[in-house]
Amino acid sequence: MAHSGFFQRQAHARRNTSLLVFLFLTAVALITLAVCLVGYFVTRSESSGLAFHHWLLSNHGLLTGATVILLIGLGSLLRWVDLAGGGSRVAKMVGARPIEPDTRDGEERKLRNVVEEMAIASGVPVPELYVMDQETGINAFVAGYTANEAVMVVTHGALTQLSRDELQGVVAHEFSHIFNGDMRLNVRLIALLAGILMIGQIGGFLMRASFYRGHRIGRSRDGRAQAAMGIIGLALLVIGYVGVFFGRLIQAAVSRQREMLADASSVQFTRNPDGIAGALFKIGLKGGYLDTTSHASDMNHMCFGESARMKFTSLLASHPSIDDRINAIQPGMLARLRSRLRDTEPGATLYRGSAPGDSSGTSAFTAAASEILGPVTGQAARTSPLASRTEPANRPVRRFSNQVGTINRQSEDFALGFLSRLPATFRNLLYTRAGAVQLCYALLISELPRDQQRARLNGLAPHPVLGSQPDLLEKLLPALDSIGDGVRFPALELAMPALRKLDPEEREMLIANVQKLVAADNRVSLFELALTSFLHRHLGTGADRVVPVRYKSYRPVLPALQRLLGLLARAGSPSLVEAETVYREAMAGFIDAGRPPEEVPEKVTMRQLQEALVVLNGLSPLLKPAVIDACGHCITHDGKVEPREYELMRLVADQMDCPMPPLLV
């Protein structure tokens, strides 16, 4: 079975974590040896002229090595604990200010619109947005351990100096880092580098202190004492620069390739190479350095462009050069951008890219982008996630796994149409905690008669935010009726920034209230199951934890596969006979050829389905595409997708950490 680019990149990100640990341990060993070498020459006379390898095992050598390792470990541990708060903690570390969802600032509103369109088109919750008000350079980064709690930080210069097309190119670049698992790697890299760089910081401080002290001592001591202080100063200089060198080398080793992949993803997502190329060109002209934060060097590997000035740029830079990145996007692009600059067009139109729908000029980049992202197979003539039509019998096989972690023309059109149809009041309510909570309730009661709605809501405990608020529901319910069932998941994704602002106790109470509304009629619909699981996954305890790989074959997860595919086969088939056929077809790729066919499970409870999805999320990334495709086969075998099937498919993708764009059938 072919694996799409998303899953390959996820597996590669996990391998990069192992590479990062190896590089870190190698750097620690080399730094320790370098410091010990300096200590060897300083204390050699005191150790009776021992050879270096014998000196390492002496008291001086062991004490020196242990001290260096302890300092590096302590520095990394302290920063690791400090960054346990995830993306929001990184944003606060650099002094970024959160952008309110209902902001009235035009530039901030432009950014929010672009990010919301990208999130809905890709099927991920909208990330929290931050701005670095004092930074005039053009830069941006995303941070967090999982897509559930990702934050996106942009500089004030990026907001004010980039056109919408260019900003969209930057946002698409950062979304690629979210999809590929780069965020988690980048945050961990900050913690590991903190330990290595700590040696340099301590060394620099002590070196200045030693020279100052040596200057004062030189007035009352002989030249021998001054020479000793000079040796100590040299030792401190070596300590500092060795640590800085290896820290930057690790940044460059981990980051460069990921930046080129993210540039390619941006072009694939936006189909507008002029957007990201224009943004890069402006960085080359105006700079992207972070001048107001002391953490610029720590963040260098995370940012869209270089955030800190450094020597030996060709060797230690975390990003390829601007010219190389632009030329990789499209041959001749750099010359065209320079020509526009020479034409002295007004600043507002200097780098204006092609229209969002214009894909002209991208053929030179198609090979690289398709190799990285993989094609989206199958034809899609409609943009609604619930649009259905009967396909010819010989229609091409659709692989849903190829759509995971991508953005395509149809899903972007759906996102634009969805946002344009939302009533202003409805959309603004989703940006508030109370409105987002009431949306969860409204989704569960919207199809009930008024008297039943009131009866269900009366069972909720009073609370200023989590209790029933009829005035807000009166504004939400009519909008849900008018825009239809197909927007329920996109509306939830739009409300996620507000829901994340709930305290842990409030999150638990919200989930409990939702479960109470679901249990009121003693039955659970597929949407109720999807909503409950969605809230558990994104707001429950441990929602921001990374799920480790537990299974590297399908054999130990076969019971979970049988429950999931059995439920999907029943949901997508009008009769039990057809369901059994579809179920056997879906399971064929996971069982041995000589094994007798399994019967469709008669009943799958909500708890069993949730447990099955938890198990399947522990699969290796390269094994997940087949599961996604088997689920897709169950719901599309008849050429149409019903609302309940779509919602169940989105649930499966969400619970397996596979961002799925709106289904296009």
Side-chain angles (χ1 to χ4, degrees):
M1 297 179 182
H3 302 304
S4 69
F6 169 81
F7 299 97
Q8 290 175 326
R9 297 193 305 276
Q10 286 280 309
H12 185 66
R14 292 181 183 270
R15 288 194 297 270
N16 269 350
T17 301
S18 301
L19 172 63
L20 177 59
V21 172
F22 171 76
L23 291 174
F24 173 73
L25 294 177
T26 302
V28 170
L30 293 175
I31 291 171
T32 302
L33 286 174
V35 175
C36 286
L37 186 61
V38 173
Y40 169 67
F41 286 110
V42 171
T43 64
R44 187 176 182 182
S45 61
E46 302 177 22
S47 304
S48 303
L50 293 174
F52 179 63
H53 61 282
H54 291 303
W55 181 90
L56 285 175
L57 300 178
S58 69
N59 290 337
H60 285 98
L62 293 176
L63 181 61
T64 302
T67 301
V68 173
I69 293 174
L70 180 63
L71 285 174
I72 294 176
L74 183 62
S76 294
L77 179 61
L78 290 176
R79 183 53 63 87
W80 194 289
V81 173
D82 181 49
L83 296 178
S88 59
R89 179 65 191 96
V90 177
K92 293 174 183 176
M93 183 180 76
V94 298
R97 168 182 61 83
I99 297 177
E100 295 300 325
D102 56 350
T103 177
R104 299 300 179 186
D105 181 87
E107 303 296 342
E108 294 177 359
R109 186 72 251 171
K110 177 177 68 175
L111 173 66
R112 177 158 291 281
N113 286 337
V114 170
V115 171
E116 288 178 349
E117 291 167 9
M118 198 75 64
I120 292 170
S122 61
V124 300
V126 179
E128 293 186 56
L129 300 179
Y130 288 77
V131 61
M132 301 178 71
D133 288 313
Q134 306 304 317
E135 296 291 352
T136 58
I138 301 172
N139 226 320
F141 66 87
V142 288
Y145 290 107
T146 67
N148 296 340
E149 47 94 39
V151 305
M152 183 179 296
V153 181
V154 300
T155 61
H156 184 261
L159 286 182
T160 57
Q161 298 180 55
L162 297 182
S163 68
R164 194 183 196 280
D165 281 351
E166 292 162 350
L167 188 62
Q168 187 182 49
V170 173
V171 169
H173 174 103
E174 299 305 327
F175 262 78
S176 172
H177 288 312
I178 295 177
F179 296 150
N180 298 344
D182 297 336
M183 293 189 308
R184 180 170 63 254
L185 181 69
N186 288 337
V187 174
R188 288 172 174 171
L189 184 54
I190 292 178
L192 296 182
L193 288 177
I196 296 175
L197 301 180
M198 186 177 183
I199 297 294
Q201 294 165 354
I202 294 175
F205 172 76
L206 293 181
M207 183 176 64
R208 291 190 296 271
S210 68
F211 277 118
Y212 174 72
R213 184 181 177 189
H215 177 71
R216 295 185 61 185
I217 291 176
R219 297 179 179 177
S220 58
R221 301 279 182 95
D222 57 16
R224 184 177 179 181
Q226 294 183 24
M229 296 308 301
I231 293 175
I232 294 175
L234 178 61
L236 295 174
L237 181 66
V238 171
I239 293 172
Y241 275 96
V242 166
V244 171
F245 176 80
F246 282 113
R248 297 290 175 260
L249 201 60
I250 291 175
Q251 280 184 322
V254 173
S255 178
R256 282 193 180 190
Q257 183 189 23
R258 311 310 296 168
E259 292 303 318
M260 294 295 283
L261 292 175
D263 287 346
S265 299
S266 176
V267 175
Q268 183 79 358
F269 293 165
T270 63
R271 303 171 309 282
N272 180 15
D274 286 21
I276 187 170
L280 288 168
F281 190 59
K282 285 186 176 178
I283 288 180
L285 291 175
K286 304 175 183 180
Y289 300 124
L290 304 182
D291 295 323
T292 65
T293 174
S294 61
H295 297 283
S297 60
D298 298 336
M299 308 298 300
N300 200 46
H301 63 286
M302 298 182 66
C303 291
F304 178 70
E306 296 285 345
S307 63
R309 299 170 178 84
M310 65 183 66
K311 299 178 181 179
F312 307 108
T313 302
S314 60
L315 176 65
L316 302 181
S318 298
H319 302 67
S321 69
I322 294 294
D323 289 0
D324 288 344
R325 292 174 69 179
I326 294 176
N327 286 330
I329 289 172
Q330 190 177 84
M333 176 70 75
L334 182 60
R336 291 203 301 274
L337 292 172
R338 286 173 175 167
S339 177
R340 294 178 193 178
L341 180 64
R342 288 193 298 269
D343 291 341
T344 63
E345 293 184 29
T349 60
L350 182 59
Y351 308 114
R352 180 174 297 164
S354 58
D358 181 14
S359 59
S360 61
T362 62
S363 58
F365 199 71
T366 300
S370 61
E371 179 182 351
I372 293 168
L373 297 172
V376 178
T377 58
Q379 301 296 320
R382 305 189 183 190
T383 59
S384 168
L386 301 179
S388 60
R389 57 190 173 92
T390 302
E391 299 277 4
N394 62 346
R395 66 182 185 276
V397 176
R398 180 184 299 277
R399 294 193 180 278
F400 281 88
S401 61
N402 288 338
Q403 300 183 26
V404 173
T406 67
I407 300 171
N408 52 57
R409 178 77 60 84
Q410 290 78 17
S411 63
E412 186 178 355
D413 289 344
F414 169 76
L416 291 170
F418 164 72
L419 292 173
S420 66
R421 294 198 313 272
L422 287 182
T425 300
F426 180 92
R427 185 172 178 177
N428 289 333
L429 282 175
L430 302 188
Y431 296 148
T432 66
R433 293 195 309 157
V437 168
Q438 300 306 309
L439 171 70
C440 297
Y441 302 158
L443 291 172
L444 294 171
I445 65 172
S446 60
E447 298 179 357
L448 299 176
R450 281 300 184 94
D451 57 338
Q452 291 187 29
Q453 290 179 0
R454 288 192 292 269
R456 299 271 178 95
L457 294 172
N458 288 337
L460 302 180
H463 189 277
V465 175
L466 301 171
S468 172
Q469 299 189 29
D471 55 331
L472 297 183
L473 288 168
E474 287 297 325
K475 299 175 182 178
L476 293 171
L477 288 169
L480 286 177
D481 292 338
S482 64
I483 57 184
D485 293 341
V487 302
R488 294 192 287 197
F489 264 106
L492 276 173
E493 290 161 356
L494 205 60
M496 281 310 299
L499 292 175
R500 289 195 200 100
K501 293 181 179 179
L502 296 173
D503 297 333
E505 296 79 9
E506 292 175 330
R507 293 185 181 191
E508 292 179 5
M509 186 174 178
L510 170 63
I511 294 174
N513 284 348
V514 168
Q515 290 175 331
K516 184 180 294 186
L517 292 175
V518 168
D521 58 357
N522 296 318
R523 65 182 183 86
V524 180
S525 68
L526 289 178
F527 174 73
E528 290 171 342
L529 170 62
L531 175 61
T532 305
S533 300
F534 184 90
L535 294 178
H536 267 291
R537 183 72 184 90
H538 294 282
L539 299 178
T541 304
D544 56 348
R545 295 175 186 168
V546 179
V547 178
V549 173
R550 296 189 178 93
Y551 311 106
K552 296 186 177 181
S553 72
Y554 295 117
R555 186 178 300 277
V557 302
L558 281 179
L561 278 170
Q562 291 168 348
R563 290 171 180 169
L564 173 62
L565 297 179
L567 178 62
L568 282 163
R570 284 181 176 273
S573 305
S575 66
L576 180 59
V577 174
E578 186 175 340
E580 289 178 348
T581 301
V582 173
Y583 172 73
R584 291 192 181 98
E585 291 173 351
M587 285 294 301
F590 306 105
I591 59 177
D592 299 332
R595 185 173 175 176
E598 299 279 350
E599 294 184 357
V600 183
E602 293 186 2
K603 183 179 181 181
V604 178
T605 65
M606 180 170 65
R607 178 180 294 275
Q608 288 176 330
L609 179 59
Q610 290 176 335
E611 291 175 349
L613 291 172
V614 169
V615 169
L616 293 175
N617 198 20
L619 282 170
S620 167
L622 294 179
L623 296 180
K624 290 182 179 180
V627 179
I628 296 294
D629 289 334
C631 294
H633 173 73
C634 290
I635 67 171
T636 60
H637 71 96
D638 57 356
K640 59 183 180 179
V641 178
E642 300 296 337
R644 61 176 186 168
E645 296 171 338
Y646 161 70
E647 289 162 353
L648 193 54
M649 186 68 199
R650 284 295 301 271
L651 167 65
V652 172
D654 177 75
Q655 300 293 292
M656 293 181 64
D657 292 329
C658 301
M660 175 75 73
L663 296 186
L664 307 170
V665 295

